[in-house]
Amino acid sequence: MESALDYSTAKALLEWQIEMGADEAIGDAALNRYELGETMPRAAASPTVTPQPQSGTAPAETGTPAARTDATTAAREAARTAQDLAGLRAAMAAFEHCDLKSGARSLVFADGIAGAPVMILGEAPGRDEDREGRPFVGKAGQLLDRMLAAIDRGRDRAEAPVYISNVLPWRPPQNRTPDKAEIAMMLPFVERHVQLAAPKILVLMGNTPCQALLGRSGITRMRGHLTQALDLPVLPMFHPAYLLRNPAAKREAWADLLALKAQLKEL
Ligand code: URA
């Protein structure tokens, strides 16, 4: 006798799948990957750094040290030869050493106006950004736009623009935090991106860009303290996704926005 799932069981099963990270339908028929075994094509050329899907936590560094060194050297060379932002985007699109690329739909490069005095660096695209191919378009991005509007700035405001990008251009599985190897591998691209976009000040949103450019994290202590990196003034701030989860921290974020506005007047 055929047994149909009742509504609440089906809903609970769906919620469990989403919780486990199966949040997108990518094919009509289920694939049994145990049966496919070794016949599955490998996604990316070696050496690679293989991401470990673990929701909400940064996985341990992956790949052998030699593979990580090769990948970073390749990134440095590719970034160095990019002459402009279009060239950098093309170099990143052609970069095959980061396994995140094979799990993402889009390369999320940047948004806003290149050459703007403020460059904002986030962590990595989420699901909405991966779909649209633009950084900060989901809920956190909408909050970021409101925060910028509060100091009369915006990604589309020609008279007071910002330029927005991320440390990683590909969405990590289940939006997990990028690991140190992934950050180190993509850092040459980030550094060249900043050099080519030539902002007057960099805003680092959350721990990942702080880890990438300042070599340390601890945003609660670092936020609001102006520092230097890549020969530029740098302002760490709370990530808007953190502010969505912790609205009480908007008070500090507002103080940091005012500091940014004041700093921009001096540059
Ligand atoms: N969070 C980020 O850090 N970057 C995005 O582009 C979106 C969400």
Side-chain angles (χ1 to χ4, degrees), residues 89-101:
R89 191 186 207 292
M92 288 165 78
F95 187 71
E96 296 294 345
H97 293 273
C98 183
D99 268 2
L100 294 177
K101 182 182 180 183

Side-chain angles (χ1 to χ4, degrees), residues 108 122-126 129 134-137 140 166 239:
V108 177
E123 178 174 299
E129 291 75 21
R134 289 199 302 140
F136 283 102
V137 293
N166 282 309
H239 193 288

Side-chain angles (χ1 to χ4, degrees), residues 112-119 152-163 264:
I113 300 181
V118 188
M119 179 166 177
D152 305 313
R153 295 225 152 239
R155 57 179 105 190
D156 299 321
R157 287 197 191 201
E159 77 293 356
V162 296
Y163 184 66
L264 276 163

Side-chain angles (χ1 to χ4, degrees), residues 198-262:
K200 293 197 168 117
I201 186 165
L202 259 181
V203 175
L204 306 181
M205 291 286 183
N207 275 323
T208 297
C210 289
Q211 184 64 49
L213 291 183
L214 304 174
R216 63 205 144 94
S217 51
I219 193 66
T220 309
R221 271 172 290 114
M222 292 164 78
R223 59 137 285 274
H225 296 284
L226 200 65
T227 179
Q228 286 276 130
L230 309 178
D231 291 329
L232 283 171
V234 166
L235 184 67
M237 281 187 63
F238 282 135
H239 193 288
Y242 174 81
L243 297 175
L244 288 173
R245 293 191 304 272
N246 302 276
K250 284 184 183 170
R251 210 173 122 106
E252 281 89 2
W254 176 236
D256 297 346
L257 284 169
L258 292 178
L260 172 64
K261 189 173 181 177

Side-chain angles (χ1 to χ4, degrees), residues 52-98:
Q52 305 288 305
Q54 279 177 20
S55 187
T57 55
E61 279 185 57
T62 51
T64 64
R68 291 202 294 268
T69 307
D70 281 0
T72 307
T73 307
R76 204 171 293 129
E77 189 52 23
R80 193 183 61 77
T81 49
Q83 295 304 305
D84 52 25
L85 290 168
L88 184 68
R89 191 186 207 292
M92 288 165 78
F95 187 71
E96 296 294 345
H97 293 273
C98 183

Side-chain angles (χ1 to χ4, degrees), residues 44 48-54 59-63 97-103 168 171-174 176-179 181-182 185:
T48 58
V49 172
T50 307
Q52 305 288 305
Q54 279 177 20
E61 279 185 57
T62 51
H97 293 273
C98 183
D99 268 2
L100 294 177
K101 182 182 180 183
S102 58
L168 293 185
R171 180 194 181 194
Q174 292 122 61
R176 67 155 170 77
T177 308
D179 72 26
E182 288 158 351
M185 190 196 298

